Amino acid sequence: MRDGGILPVKLGGVKALVITSLSGPDALAIQDTAEPTLKLGQTLVRVAAGGLNFADVMTTLGGYPGTPQPPFIAGREFAGVEVSSGRRVMGYTQWAAFAADVGAYSNRLWAVPEHWTDEQAAAFPVNYFTAYLAYWQAGMTQPPPPGRSHRALIHAVAGGVGTAAVQIGHILDVEMFGTSSSDEKLARVKELGLQHGINYKRHDYEEVVKNLTQGEGVDAVFEMLGGEHTAKSLRSVREFGRVIQYGTATGKPPQLDVRALYAKSASLQGLWLTYLCQKPEIMEPAWKQLSEWIAQRKLTPVIGQVLALDQAVEAYKLLQEGRNYGKVVLKI
């Protein structure tokens, strides 16, 4: 380490950000690794930028399902140039995105909009597909029943998925409630279309939602915290509501309130992008809709910080400590 950054290690090969042990962000190191060996269906991408997700932080601690034994290359989201065609692409992979060269499956690559930078492209796949598919699973991509509006509670609303969910919810005319620990962050997200910001350090979001909806609750909760928040989220939905669970940022297993499930005929539904990415019948319609909104300039990734690769430890800790707004991007 040097001045809070990472001291590069020269070993020969492709520069990459490597998780050397499952002991947290301080175990990250820039190393030269072997060129990626392409598997059937993969193409080589020269990476310009990588998008950082809370799942990446959990991976450094061994808390993400299926984490391999170190050392291995970090990252799951990237943007760059497909070597074989020269086209600009953004993509998703389970591991090894934060390297100069990545072997990526062609069906997990999407064309970068001409008016986007590499950093914006690197901030798109995980956040926007997760947010859109959460609305889709909750039935909110279709109009609500007559005389009723869609309502959603979005946890960590000032983060990457949260800001994406607000942009998409604004397009879908969803009444949105969002939680954050900062009034300043909530004010910025309201500029994106959030109607009801809730500082969870000062207010019980379960009570606020109950009061603002006259006791009815919301149709869906976008839940990535785990622990007690899964149970509180279930109590925040109205009849036939859904909690969409796509993470456990607290590091605690989700708690269930089975009585709330029974009382409201509610449901808890998981969302794992790694699995859904393998389903073209799901991903292709999602991309078709998202790309239309992008072309109409209705979606623009919210980037809070862009840091150099040798500042990766600092970048990871921004997410770990909840100090980020929107997306944190690494320049590869």
Side-chain angles (χ1 to χ4, degrees):
M1 300 291 295
R2 180 175 59 191
D3 297 332
I6 303 173
L7 185 64
V9 180
K10 294 293 184 182
L11 299 176
V14 175
K15 184 173 70 171
L17 184 67
V18 176
I19 296 175
T20 62
S21 69
L22 301 179
S23 57
D26 286 317
L28 294 165
I30 295 175
Q31 298 181 354
D32 284 354
T33 61
E35 287 275 357
T37 301
L38 298 183
K39 300 176 182 177
L40 184 65
Q42 286 188 328
T43 183
L44 187 67
V45 176
R46 192 133 295 153
V47 178
L52 194 59
N53 298 280
F54 200 84
D56 295 309
V57 177
M58 293 180 65
T59 299
T60 67
L61 297 165
Y64 191 84
T67 299
Q69 287 298 312
F72 62 95
I73 300 172
R76 51 183 34 83
E77 186 178 29
F78 59 90
V81 175
E82 185 179 36
V83 173
S84 62
S85 66
R87 68 175 183 140
R88 297 176 66 218
V89 293
M90 50 192 177
Y92 175 78
T93 182
Q94 181 69 324
W95 321 106
F98 297 163
D101 290 333
V102 170
Y105 285 99
S106 298
N107 62 353
R108 299 179 199 173
L109 292 176
W110 301 275
V112 175
E114 291 183 2
H115 61 285
W116 278 10
T117 65
D118 291 327
E119 291 75 25
Q120 288 174 313
F124 176 83
V126 170
N127 293 163
Y128 285 83
F129 277 113
T130 298
Y132 179 82
L133 292 172
Y135 281 115
W136 174 72
Q137 289 187 170
M140 292 186 182
T141 54
Q142 299 298 320
R148 176 167 167 166
S149 62
H150 286 317
R151 295 177 183 150
L153 170 61
I154 304 164
H155 288 308
V157 74
V161 175
T163 52
V166 170
Q167 289 186 6
I168 294 173
H170 182 64
I171 296 170
L172 296 173
D173 199 26
V174 175
E175 183 179 5
M176 296 172 287
F177 304 75
T179 67
S180 176
S181 62
S182 163
D183 288 337
E184 179 185 356
K185 289 182 182 179
L186 288 170
R188 296 176 70 179
V189 184
K190 282 186 176 182
E191 295 177 0
L192 300 176
L194 178 70
Q195 296 97 331
H196 310 288
I198 307 169
N199 186 325
Y200 66 80
K201 288 192 173 181
R202 296 195 287 109
H203 303 284
D204 183 330
Y205 61 81
E206 182 183 345
E207 290 299 318
V208 173
V209 169
K210 181 179 179 180
N211 292 336
L212 290 177
T213 61
Q214 289 75 51
E216 285 190 359
V218 297
D219 296 283
V221 182
F222 298 174
E223 215 294 85
M224 40 67 70
L225 299 169
E228 66 173 341
H229 298 286
T230 303
K232 286 174 67 67
S233 295
L234 280 167
R235 293 193 296 269
S236 299
V237 300
R238 57 186 176 188
E239 71 278 1
F240 304 107
R242 299 183 188 182
V243 173
I244 310 296
Q245 190 87 38
Y246 64 94
T248 53
T250 62
K252 299 177 182 179
Q255 297 177 11
L256 289 180
D257 186 335
V258 179
R259 291 181 63 185
L261 285 172
Y262 289 157
K264 301 178 179 181
S265 293
S267 61
L268 174 65
Q269 186 167 353
L271 192 166
W272 191 29
L273 190 60
T274 298
Y275 172 75
L276 294 177
C277 266
Q278 303 171 48
K279 304 289 184 180
E281 68 273 19
I282 294 174
M283 298 301 292
E284 289 175 7
W287 171 240
K288 182 176 184 295
Q289 180 61 84
L290 289 169
S291 60
E292 288 176 3
W293 288 336
I294 292 170
Q296 295 165 4
R297 308 295 175 106
K298 292 180 177 179
L299 296 180
T300 302
V302 177
I303 298 175
Q305 293 92 0
V306 177
L307 300 174
L309 192 61
D310 63 4
Q311 296 175 291
V313 170
E314 177 185 345
Y316 272 66
K317 288 183 177 180
L318 281 172
L319 266 69
Q320 187 177 36
E321 298 166 7
R323 293 186 286 118
N324 64 297
Y325 170 73
K327 193 75 169 182
V328 175
V329 175
L330 292 173
K331 290 185 70 68
I332 310 297

